[in-house]
């Protein structure tokens, strides 16, 4: 079982979007649980709107006891994705979740104001635990040439931060997905959704490949 915590203390960078969409992507090939630890309850709100069966399980909890025992689900799920709240510096809940993590996925928007909170999340919550992690750029503007390349350069050369090769572009279909209850596996395939489907599918494979590398001892 692989526990993936989706975290960035910066609010609104796409933590819930990434947990739901990548949960759906991984559910095509694996047994997946998405855990909402945010009191906002966005995961449940999103799932309640779905008109389709979701191929992954969902639960919401802030119980330190339950989260501390997440390993007891070993054998039932291949991937557990834990969505966390924005605006959180730390605290017992975040500590418990981070202590359970095998990998931290850090979504980040191409916004200069997202940099400091992202670095803070890495230095305060991730690095002290020596956890594997990777930044995922989200809301890259498909109309701005080289936007992603510029941000990748910054992450690589200035900060030396591990990152995904691929990214998620900004699409209306992403923003509409919670209210429509849609995730990758329930989206109709049309011009409006094509970019979302392509990006989430690609990042899903890249995420899986990271775990396969770990198994092969290449991590
Ligand atoms: N790639 C994208 N394209 C368009 N809209 C997006 C994209 N990613 C996220 N959004 C939208 O941006 C908003 C914030 O995303 P989301 O709720 O996933 O962020 P979050 O990090 O979970 O926020 P919080 O810190 O409040 O929990 C939502 O309205 C979401 O639909
Ligand atoms: Mg959220």
């Amino acid at each position: 079982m692989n526990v993936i915590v989706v975290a960035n203390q910066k609010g609104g960078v796409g933590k819930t979007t990434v947990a739901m969409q990548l949960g759906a992507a991984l559910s095509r090939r694996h047994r997946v649980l998405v855990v909402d630890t945010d009191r906002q309850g966005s995961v449940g709100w999103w799932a309640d709107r779905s008109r389709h069966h979701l191929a992954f399980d969902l639960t919401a909890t802030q119980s330190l006891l339950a989260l501390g025992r997440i390993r007891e689900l070993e054998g039932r799920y291949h991937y557990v994705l834990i969505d966390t709240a924005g605006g959180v510096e730390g605290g017992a809940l975040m500590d418990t979740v981070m202590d359970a993590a095998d990998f931290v996925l850090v979504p980040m928007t191409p916004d200069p104001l997202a940099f400091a909170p992202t670095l803070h999340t890495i230095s305060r919550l991730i690095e002290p635990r020596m956890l594997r992690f990777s930044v995922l750029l989200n809301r890259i503007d498909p109309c701005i040439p080289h936007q992603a390349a510029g941000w990748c350069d910054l992450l690589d050369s200035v900060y030396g931060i591990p990152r995904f090769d691929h990214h998620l572009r900004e699409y209306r279909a992403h923003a509409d997905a919670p209210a429509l209850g849609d995730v990758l596996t329930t989206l109709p395939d049309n011009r409006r959704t094509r970019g979302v489907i392509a990006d989430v599918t690609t990042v899903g494979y890249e995420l899986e490949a990271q775990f396969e590398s770990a198994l092969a001892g290449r991590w």
Side-chain angles (χ1 to χ4, degrees), residues 16 19 21 29 50 52 54 63 66 75 79-80 91 116 120 126 133-134 141 155 169 173 189 206-209 216:
T16 302
Q21 295 291 13
R29 295 171 292 279
S50 185
H52 306 275
L54 299 180
S63 160
Y79 288 101
V80 176
H120 203 247
I126 301 175
F133 73 98
S134 201
D141 188 335
L155 289 169
R169 288 168 288 180
D189 187 352
E206 190 179 349
L207 181 60
E208 265 179 81

Side-chain angles (χ1 to χ4, degrees), residues 49-214:
R49 268 142 200 85
S50 185
R51 291 151 290 131
H52 306 275
H53 169 73
L54 299 180
F56 53 96
D57 289 342
L58 292 157
T59 189
T61 184
Q62 286 98 41
S63 160
L64 301 185
L65 193 66
L67 291 165
R69 295 173 62 178
I70 203 115
R71 289 274 157 209
E72 291 178 18
L73 296 174
E74 190 78 54
R76 280 181 61 185
Y77 297 103
H78 196 163
Y79 288 101
V80 176
L81 288 107
I82 305 184
D83 185 23
T84 62
V88 187
E89 277 263 331
L93 181 62
M94 208 55 180
D95 282 342
T96 305
V97 167
M98 285 293 175
D99 287 345
D102 294 305
F103 180 83
V104 189
L105 199 167
V106 186
M108 187 184 133
T109 46
D111 165 11
L113 291 178
F115 242 119
T118 301
L119 293 177
H120 203 247
T121 302
I122 293 168
S123 64
R124 289 286 298 277
L125 294 173
I126 301 175
E127 285 180 340
R129 292 178 168 86
M130 293 192 287
L131 286 166
R132 297 180 214 284
F133 73 98
S134 201
V135 168
L136 175 64
L137 288 169
N138 178 32
R139 304 192 81 150
I140 293 292
D141 188 335
C143 301
I144 303 181
H146 313 304
Q147 187 189 32
W151 281 84
C152 288
D153 273 356
L154 196 64
L155 289 169
D156 294 347
S157 54
V158 182
Y159 296 98
I161 292 174
R163 62 165 174 85
F164 281 77
D165 289 338
H166 299 95
H167 56 263
L168 301 179
R169 288 168 288 180
E170 162 113 24
Y171 286 115
R172 180 81 222 168
H174 265 304
D176 289 343
L180 297 173
D182 275 328
V183 291
L184 175 70
T185 44
T186 67
L187 277 172
D189 187 352
N190 56 41
R191 270 180 54 202
R192 200 182 69 87
T193 61
R194 200 145 295 158
V196 170
I197 292 172
D199 289 356
V200 175
T201 301
T202 307
V203 173
Y205 277 119
E206 190 179 349
L207 181 60
E208 265 179 81
Q210 305 226 22
F211 285 94
E212 278 156 24
S213 301

Side-chain angles (χ1 to χ4, degrees), residues 12-17 36 38 40 42-43 83-86:
V13 290
K15 295 179 288 294
T16 302
T17 299
D36 188 2
D38 186 350
Q40 288 187 101
S42 307
V43 163
D83 185 23
T84 62

